[in-house]
Amino acid sequence: MGPYGEAYYSEQVMMDFSQSLSLPPLDLLSTTQAVLDSIPAHIAILDDTARIVMVNRAWRNFAKMSEADKDYLGYNYLEACERAVGSEAAEAARTAEYIRAVLAGNPGPFRMEYPCATPQGDFWFALTVSELRGARWGRVMVTHEDITSYKQAILASAHLAAIVTSSADAILSITPEGRIMSWNASAQQMFGYRPEEIIGQSVFRLIPLELHDEERGILARLCRGESLPHQDTVRLTKEGVRLNVLLTRSPIRDDQKQIIGSSKIARDITNLRQAERALKESEQRYRALSEAQKRFVSDAAHELRAPLTAIQGNLELLTRFKGMKKADREEALQEVAKEAARLGRLVNDMLALARGDAGERLRLEPLSLHQVLREAFATAQGMANEHTLHLIPLPNVEVRGDRDRLKQLALQLLENALKYTPAGGTVTLGLRRDSDHAEFWVEDTGIGIAPEELPRVFERFYRSDKARLRGEDPGGTGLGLSIAQWIVEQHGGTLHLESQLGRGTVAVVRLPLTPSRD
């Protein structure tokens, strides 16, 4: 029953009530009601005393009222707001404040959004209070709508924006034609362009020229709706630096499922690729070292076997034949001594190379290279025998180096020259300098080295077959030049050989000079 009793429901009484509330005629009222009922928001129309004169179907459904229930008519909205308690009190008080403002002449609109927990779940509502302008009936319109979906979309959008903004990956979007539409902070950090510099520009700015045709094909595939995950490719920074990136591309569609562009997520994998290349190179070096070590062990075993066999054989002869002639006994002992000395040299050379392989660094100090070379030359004169040793006047040259090792280097080159030079030949030692390097050389008139063998002379245990053409073993270990090269490398220098068969060999050592003190 309405506030005006049972008679309220008769058409005549309703017309009288409409007139008392200054309502329009009944047919206009019915039309207005139909319009309001078509609106999904909850709507209540109030007169100039804040009494309800009309509500729509959405409002009735929200208030759980039937179509025939008219109890809301004439109900004072302000009084209802004043009676609100609990969690609704604050929103009701503000609603009353808005209604009073409109009745006082402020047209509004006034709007507030607020959350509401219900047994069905958490919702968001928006309430708007505004003036009904130009209406002969009703003064205030109160609109109440469920904006939960809108709020969820806003929150989802904000969440997505936060993800894009905070992502460590570069995220950008482009038009179907390849123009950049969006650009996150990581894209700026990765590629060096600020958003105002790159948005609206062609994505081809980021792509090396040799990949342009490929990218055009990819754009076409994206426009056809294809997604292209995980492509390992190259992109350019603002400064032209090439980056290895892992790209994921996807088409972007609007509400009508039409493709309006594409998104790109780029992850910088330059460091990863560099690490992979370094690991691969390290593995290759390890395999090479492993193979070299296997060859070294095999060659060392072979080289050690010869002197050990000779020593063992002669010792067995001496043991078995106690009464052998004195001359034969002396010859056997000399052979044992010679092979033992050779074995000692071999072991010392192997230890030297092993220390080098283990990363031993020489202690370099300022020294006079010409003095070291004179000392080595003087020592070599004791091995000259039937050779001519010639020393070119040496200029004063200062370098940083290890005195003992540089003397060992020079002596090794002189000894090699003497070994492979026939009797009567000449071995020459010289020294010169240029603006930043010292260069000394050892030249002989020996048998020389064949061109095809020259690249291998620094290999461990390698000895040219030409050295044995005379049917003699020069007595070397096959490690001398390997040790010489290691010494030179430790000094930051170079060692190379020049040779012609039958005409001799030149070994040239080039070392950096000691920096001058200005």
Side-chain angles (χ1 to χ4, degrees):
M1 181 183 297
Y4 296 93
E6 293 288 347
Y8 166 77
Y9 293 102
S10 68
E11 186 172 310
Q12 182 61 48
V13 171
M14 185 160 182
M15 291 180 62
D16 294 341
F17 175 67
S18 298
Q19 292 173 359
S20 70
L21 295 179
S22 302
L23 294 180
L26 190 59
D27 57 343
L28 181 57
L29 189 66
S30 299
T31 302
T32 303
Q33 184 70 58
V35 171
L36 291 179
D37 285 346
S38 67
I39 299 174
H42 318 148
I43 298 176
I45 307 298
L46 314 182
D47 66 9
D48 54 8
T49 63
R51 290 183 302 169
I52 297 175
V53 296
M54 184 175 289
V55 297
N56 70 343
R57 182 178 293 111
W59 193 95
R60 289 193 300 272
N61 292 339
F62 178 72
K64 295 183 171 53
M65 289 185 172
S66 66
E67 198 93 22
D69 195 346
K70 306 295 183 181
D71 281 354
Y72 57 85
L73 289 176
Y75 201 84
N76 192 290
Y77 211 102
L78 289 175
E79 292 178 2
C81 291
E82 290 170 358
R83 287 197 298 270
V85 295
S87 61
E88 300 178 0
E91 288 79 14
R94 190 176 300 179
T95 303
E97 178 185 344
Y98 292 164
I99 293 172
R100 290 190 180 96
V102 172
L103 292 175
N106 190 337
F110 301 96
R111 179 181 174 86
M112 67 173 171
E113 297 177 358
Y114 62 93
C116 182
T118 72
Q120 291 75 34
D122 295 333
F123 292 86
W124 273 87
F125 294 99
L127 186 136
T128 305
V129 179
S130 57
E131 181 183 34
L132 278 173
R133 297 181 180 180
R136 289 186 298 171
W137 57 277
R139 177 76 181 278
V140 181
M141 182 168 68
V142 179
T143 304
H144 187 254
E145 55 187 321
D146 184 349
I147 59 169
T148 304
S149 298
Y150 167 76
K151 276 292 186 178
Q152 289 173 342
I154 292 295
L155 290 173
S157 178
H159 184 64
L160 179 60
I163 292 173
V164 171
T165 301
S166 61
S167 173
D169 295 332
I171 301 177
L172 55 151
S173 61
I174 64 171
T175 66
E177 298 75 30
R179 296 284 174 182
I180 295 173
M181 296 187 293
S182 65
W183 187 259
N184 74 341
S186 292
Q188 177 178 339
Q189 183 177 1
M190 185 180 299
F191 296 108
Y193 290 99
R194 298 190 304 276
E196 59 269 23
E197 294 177 303
I198 197 66
I199 288 178
Q201 301 298 318
S202 171
V203 75
F204 287 92
R205 278 195 178 192
L206 310 176
I207 302 171
L209 184 61
E210 69 271 16
L211 298 178
H212 280 198
D213 288 343
E214 177 185 335
E215 186 66 19
R216 291 187 186 95
I218 288 172
L219 285 174
R221 293 172 64 185
L222 290 167
C223 288
R224 292 195 297 269
E226 294 184 44
S227 294
L228 303 169
H230 309 314
Q231 182 197 15
D232 193 340
T233 186
V234 176
R235 289 296 180 262
L236 299 176
T237 69
K238 183 179 180 180
E239 292 75 25
V241 177
R242 296 171 73 94
L243 298 178
N244 292 104
V245 298
L246 188 65
L247 270 183
T248 296
R249 303 178 177 92
S250 303
I252 300 174
R253 302 176 185 271
D254 61 13
D255 294 340
Q256 284 73 46
K257 307 301 182 181
Q258 297 298 312
I259 295 173
I260 58 173
S262 60
S263 66
K264 299 178 183 292
I265 301 175
R267 177 167 296 176
D268 186 353
I269 57 172
T270 304
N271 292 336
L272 175 62
R273 291 294 175 260
Q274 289 174 346
E276 289 175 348
R277 286 192 292 269
L279 178 60
K280 185 176 181 179
E281 291 170 1
S282 177
E283 290 174 348
Q284 291 172 344
R285 286 195 300 270
Y286 173 77
R287 284 195 293 268
L289 287 172
S290 179
E291 291 300 319
Q293 187 70 18
K294 290 177 182 177
R295 290 195 303 270
F296 179 77
V297 171
S298 176
D299 292 342
H302 176 77
E303 294 293 332
L304 289 169
R305 186 182 298 116
L308 285 173
T309 300
I311 292 171
Q312 185 178 11
N314 280 286
L315 289 176
E316 286 179 355
L317 285 174
L318 291 170
T319 303
R320 182 177 300 177
F321 301 102
K322 301 290 186 180
M324 74 168 50
K325 295 178 181 180
K326 184 178 180 180
D328 292 338
R329 188 178 186 85
E330 290 296 328
E331 183 181 351
L333 287 173
Q334 288 175 3
E335 182 70 17
V336 168
K338 185 183 77 170
E339 294 299 330
R342 179 181 175 186
L343 185 61
R345 291 194 304 271
L346 181 60
V347 170
N348 287 334
D349 287 349
M350 290 171 62
L351 288 174
L353 287 173
R355 285 193 292 267
D357 291 343
E360 179 181 303
R361 306 294 297 178
L362 300 183
R363 184 176 179 181
L364 307 184
E365 298 176 336
L367 55 84
S368 299
L369 181 60
H370 52 284
Q371 292 179 358
V372 174
L373 295 179
R374 286 195 187 99
E375 293 174 9
F377 186 82
T379 302
Q381 284 181 314
M383 300 181 287
N385 296 326
E386 299 177 3
H387 300 89
T388 298
L389 270 175
H390 178 55
L391 179 64
I392 298 175
L394 305 178
N396 294 346
V397 176
E398 301 295 323
V399 298
R400 285 182 59 82
D402 183 306
R403 174 177 290 274
D404 292 338
R405 291 297 187 180
L406 285 178
K407 182 177 178 180
Q408 179 186 3
L409 168 65
L411 195 57
Q412 179 67 56
L413 297 179
L414 287 166
E415 187 178 354
N416 269 11
L418 291 169
K419 284 177 185 176
Y420 297 110
T421 299
T426 301
V427 174
T428 303
L429 174 63
L431 172 66
R432 56 178 170 255
R433 59 170 294 172
D434 55 28
S435 59
D436 54 2
H437 281 82
E439 190 173 87
F440 75 87
W441 69 95
V442 175
E443 183 176 3
D444 65 55
T445 58
I447 60 174
I449 305 171
E452 65 273 13
E453 294 175 337
L454 198 57
R456 299 191 59 194
V457 294
F458 295 106
E459 294 179 15
R460 297 176 184 186
F461 295 112
Y462 181 81
R463 284 181 287 187
S464 170
D465 289 337
K466 297 296 182 183
R468 299 185 175 87
L469 286 179
R470 303 186 306 275
E472 302 174 0
D473 186 344
T477 63
L479 297 174
L481 285 178
S482 298
I483 295 173
Q485 186 180 51
W486 172 71
I487 293 173
V488 171
E489 289 173 349
Q490 288 286 298
H491 286 79
T494 59
L495 167 62
H496 73 276
L497 301 185
E498 301 169 3
S499 187
Q500 288 184 318
L501 277 176
R503 301 188 62 178
T505 302
V506 182
V508 182
V509 176
R510 188 169 171 82
L511 301 172
L513 293 173
T514 301
S516 59
R517 298 179 181 177
D518 297 330

